Amino acid sequence: MEEDELECVEELEAVLQLAPEVQLAIEQVFPSQDPLDRADFNAVEYINTLFPTEQSLANIDEVVNKIRLKIRRLDDNIRTVVRGQTNVGQDGRQALEEAQKAIQQLFGKIKDIKDKAEKSEQMVKEITRDIKQLDHAKRHLTTSITTLNHLHMLAGGVDSLEAMTRRRQYGEVANLLQGVVNVLEHFNKYMGIPQIRQLSERVKAAQNELGQQILADFEEAFPSQGTKRPGGPSNVLRDACLVASVLDPRIKQEIIKKFIKQHLSEYLVLFQENQDVAWLDKIDRRYAWIKRQLMDYEEKYGRMFPQEWCMTERIAVQFCHVTRTELAKIMRTRAKEIEVKLLLFAIQRTTNFEGLMAKRFSGCTLADGTVKKAELPPPSTNPFLEDETGTETDETVIEKGDIDRPKKPKVPDNPFHGIISKCFEPHLYVYIESQDKNLGELIDRFVADFKAQGPPKPNVDEGGAVLPSCADLFVYYKKCMVQCSQLSTGEPMIALTTIFQKYLREYAWKILSGNLPKTTSSSGGLTITSLLKEKEGSEVAKFTVEELCLICSILSTAEYCLATTQQLEEKLKEKVDASLMERINLTGEMDTFSIVISNSIQLLVQDLDAACDPALTAMSKMQWQNVEHVGDQSPYVTSVILHIKQNVPIIHDNLASTRKYFTQFCIKFANSFIPKFINHLFKCKPISMVGAEQLLLDTHSLKMVLLDLPSIGSQVVRKAPASYTKIVVKGMTRAEMILKVVMAPHEPPVVFVDNYIKLLADCSTDTFQKILDMKGLKRSEQSSMLELFRQRLPTPPSGGENTSSMSLTAPTPEQESSRIRKLEKLIKKRL
């Protein structure tokens, strides 16, 4: 019996085993905390929960009764649910049938509504059909009435226009004609109607008749033959001008052309080519004549022509065109008589007249392409900041400070610029040739003045004297540039630029390079004995103080010329036409001044370098193996420092305004002196231990002096430039490392070689050979050392077999700084 019950329980558990998804869904729909509802229900655990101890078994009957009660309730619930599901299918079919019936009823109602809507739309169309017809009829009727009114106005206007034309009632015609033309525009789409076309032809005929009639009236009032004119304008002509403004523009142009031609006929007679007043020296009379004529026109005819015709400006512009043509003709005929002063006089008077016209007139009547319209230029970046429209004087000086001043924009061109003065452009070669001659004489005068006055005096307070001739040259350049730009901005400006280039180069070679002091071939060095005795004052620099000041002055002048030439190029490009800007290039001249600067610096370096040569020679010829003790710095060091303190303050003070070039001088001197010092150091052989220590002390002293070189003799102590300090530290540290290697014992050889490679990082056998010579080793010892050195060299990289030129990786800044500190401690200990 028990076995049967166990089998039944197992079968029941197998049947009630649900999938995890189903079990999860049941838990979400019917959440329960009852252990009996859990999927992993365990009867044994449940019973142990109910009866955890033996004492709890006393309540077993009560627990069994509760479980039986729960079983009965579950059976009742299951029975009720099962019975409730028997009628579900029948209820569902009934609900579906009811829904289908409701859908059919709804569809029928929608169809009825659609039918009613179509009937309503048809009814509305029938109602509004008559309204649309009435609306179209109203619109057509309004258009017809308007057109009939315009037709009535046009017909009446044409009749009145023809009648007034015959009676020359120009005042009424001016107002009526414009109205008739405006009304006729409404009938452009009706020109196919004969009556409308006929009216249009009558209007055109009336316009033609008016034009011919007005031209005849003006011809009668201002006859082409003869110069006699009536006393003043009539009201008929004034009204005729109003009519001409409405007619074909050709009528207006014909009236203007004939009136201006008749008005200027007297000018052509008075200033014929064969008349004395026609030449350039009396050009003022031409402009005086037109001024009188314009005043006469304003008094007599100012009210006859409409103001929008700008007749006064048109007369003046036509006068300019005629004058330009006549002047060009007479200058071609008498080209050989044109002189520079005469040409400049005529151009000056002409440009003044053009400026006067720009103040009086707006330039609205100028033809396209005749004169360039004024445009606002971009902000100027040139150094010449004076007002170019003002008077230029020879006393104007371009100061060096002008380069850094705020720039002023160029004044816009006036619209009449060149309207007459353009005729002088073909003859500006006379002006260019004159400027070529004047600049040549100016350069010759500069050369003569320099020879007569000598070099400029030292000017320490202002940081070196710039030659005054360079300011005079650029003042003259500016004057010529402004003058030429007022005459032309085309090819003459290019020709003038070529002249500028020529004399900039001549100034650089004749005035600057030509006056640099010449170096002598003789060394003039001191004897070793004099150096050892430290006789101060016995050493003389190759250049005197005056010569050093002259070199610095030429360097400052070349720097000023370089900066000003660059700005001169920018200014020339502003002045010249845009199409010619690429042809202006002063790079070659700026390079010339750069060469002068480089040569000046090189002279200063060579002078100081040559002054130190005897001291270095004395160092290399001293018997360093006989030095018995380390003392103060050696005499040759004192001599070098003496030369540096004599020359450098002079150069520093005279180059105070050009600090970058003083820095270049210091860098070039360091690059020249330090390698030379190291080469002489290699010549000091043999060297004892004490001698090497003395040389190490001397090297450190020179290093300190070189580091202070940029500020020697200066009242304001500034930190030396980093680029210069790096060169000095690197070069002099190498000299110190060489001496440190010499001081090291050569036994055992392996340690000595490794120490050399570590300290110098130089794998050249030549350098190693020189170190061995300095130590005074015998040739046999040197051979073994060299062989060991070659064996101890690091393996060269792939592809490189030339070990003699191989270099090791440079030491890091930390290693180099550590070595320097150790060396300084050694020197202090020796002192």
Side-chain angles (χ1 to χ4, degrees), residues 81 157 271 555 785 790:
V81 170
F271 294 91
L555 193 154
M785 282 285 189
R790 293 188 182 95

Side-chain angles (χ1 to χ4, degrees), residues 734 756-763 806-811 819:
R734 175 175 171 79
Y756 167 84
I757 295 175
K758 179 181 178 182
L759 291 177
L760 285 183
D762 188 349
C763 294
M806 182 181 61
S807 61
L808 294 177
T809 305
R819 294 173 184 173

Side-chain angles (χ1 to χ4, degrees), residues 159-386:
D159 293 338
S160 301
L161 181 63
E162 293 174 343
M164 293 177 182
T165 301
R166 289 191 293 270
R167 294 193 296 270
R168 282 183 165 77
Q169 297 177 346
Y170 295 132
E172 292 78 2
V173 168
N175 296 325
L176 180 60
L177 179 60
Q178 185 63 51
V180 170
V181 172
N182 293 337
V183 173
L184 187 61
E185 291 178 355
H186 293 282
F187 291 92
N188 288 335
K189 56 185 177 181
Y190 303 117
M191 286 300 171
I193 302 174
Q195 291 81 358
I196 301 298
R197 186 167 59 253
Q198 183 180 3
L199 286 174
S200 176
E201 292 174 354
R202 289 175 62 188
V203 171
K204 292 180 180 178
Q207 288 177 326
N208 293 334
E209 183 180 355
L210 276 171
Q212 298 300 325
Q213 189 171 300
I214 290 172
L215 289 176
D217 291 344
F218 269 93
E219 181 67 25
E220 181 180 353
F222 304 100
S224 301
Q225 301 296 330
T227 57
K228 185 176 179 181
R229 291 175 295 189
S234 62
N235 293 331
V236 174
L237 294 180
R238 182 183 61 193
D239 295 338
C241 291
L242 298 177
V243 176
S245 298
V246 184
L247 295 175
D248 190 338
R250 289 177 294 180
I251 303 298
K252 171 184 172 182
Q253 296 297 330
E254 186 69 20
I255 293 173
I256 293 173
K257 181 179 178 181
K258 287 185 177 181
F259 179 81
I260 294 178
K261 181 179 180 181
Q262 194 274 340
H263 210 71
L264 295 178
S265 59
E266 180 183 349
Y267 173 70
L268 294 174
V269 174
L270 291 176
F271 294 91
Q272 287 182 1
E273 186 177 350
N274 56 0
Q275 299 293 327
D276 291 339
V277 294
W279 189 229
L280 300 180
D281 58 345
K282 296 181 177 61
I283 198 171
D284 281 342
R285 298 190 181 184
R286 294 176 181 266
Y287 305 134
W289 182 89
I290 189 61
K291 291 175 185 177
R292 291 194 302 270
Q293 292 301 314
L294 292 177
M295 292 175 62
D296 180 66
Y297 165 81
E298 292 288 349
E299 292 177 1
K300 294 182 178 181
Y301 307 103
R303 297 182 180 180
M304 185 175 74
F305 295 98
Q307 186 176 2
E308 59 269 16
W309 284 23
C310 303
M311 284 299 295
T312 307
E313 181 176 330
R314 291 180 185 276
I315 293 172
V317 170
Q318 185 61 27
F319 164 81
C320 293
H321 294 326
V322 172
T323 301
R324 185 177 70 243
T325 304
E326 292 298 319
L327 287 176
K329 186 191 303 181
I330 194 172
M331 283 192 292
R332 282 196 302 269
T333 305
R334 305 171 62 177
K336 295 182 180 180
E337 301 179 29
I338 300 177
E339 298 178 353
V340 176
K341 292 184 179 180
L342 180 62
L343 181 65
L344 293 179
F345 168 79
I347 293 174
Q348 184 64 39
R349 293 296 186 269
T350 302
T351 52
N352 290 343
F353 177 72
E354 291 172 351
L356 182 63
M357 288 189 62
K359 295 178 181 179
R360 175 66 177 82
F361 305 117
S362 64
C364 60
T365 63
L366 294 174
D368 293 339
T370 302
V371 180
K372 294 182 297 185
K373 296 297 181 181
E375 297 180 356
L376 286 176
S380 173
T381 57
N382 68 83
F384 306 103
L385 301 176
E386 291 85 351

Side-chain angles (χ1 to χ4, degrees), residues 515-611:
N515 289 305
L516 283 174
K518 303 297 187 292
T519 57
T520 58
S521 58
S522 61
S523 61
L526 301 174
T527 62
I528 301 176
T529 306
S530 65
L531 281 174
L532 295 177
K533 291 182 178 179
E534 300 184 43
K535 291 184 178 180
E536 297 183 1
S538 61
E539 304 171 17
V540 181
K542 190 172 293 184
F543 290 144
T544 63
V545 175
E546 289 75 14
E547 288 174 330
L548 289 176
C549 293
L550 173 60
I551 295 173
C552 294
S553 178
I554 290 176
L555 193 154
S556 300
T557 303
E559 186 222 4
Y560 172 72
C561 292
L562 175 63
T564 312
T565 301
Q566 181 180 0
Q567 294 164 347
L568 173 65
E569 178 184 4
E570 296 173 0
K571 189 62 178 179
L572 286 169
K573 288 182 178 180
E574 289 182 8
K575 294 291 184 182
V576 79
D577 293 338
S579 59
L580 301 176
M581 285 178 59
E582 295 181 356
R583 295 174 59 183
I584 295 180
N585 187 357
L586 302 183
T587 304
E589 289 65 39
M590 288 186 276
D591 291 343
T592 302
F593 289 116
S594 298
I595 292 173
V596 174
I597 293 173
S598 179
N599 291 342
S600 301
I601 295 175
Q602 192 61 35
L603 277 178
L604 296 173
V605 172
Q606 288 177 358
D607 177 64
L608 184 55
D609 207 14

Side-chain angles (χ1 to χ4, degrees), residues 52 334 392 433 629 650 658 759 801:
R334 305 171 62 177
E392 298 292 338
E433 291 175 355
H629 62 276
I650 298 173
T658 55
L759 291 177
E801 298 179 357

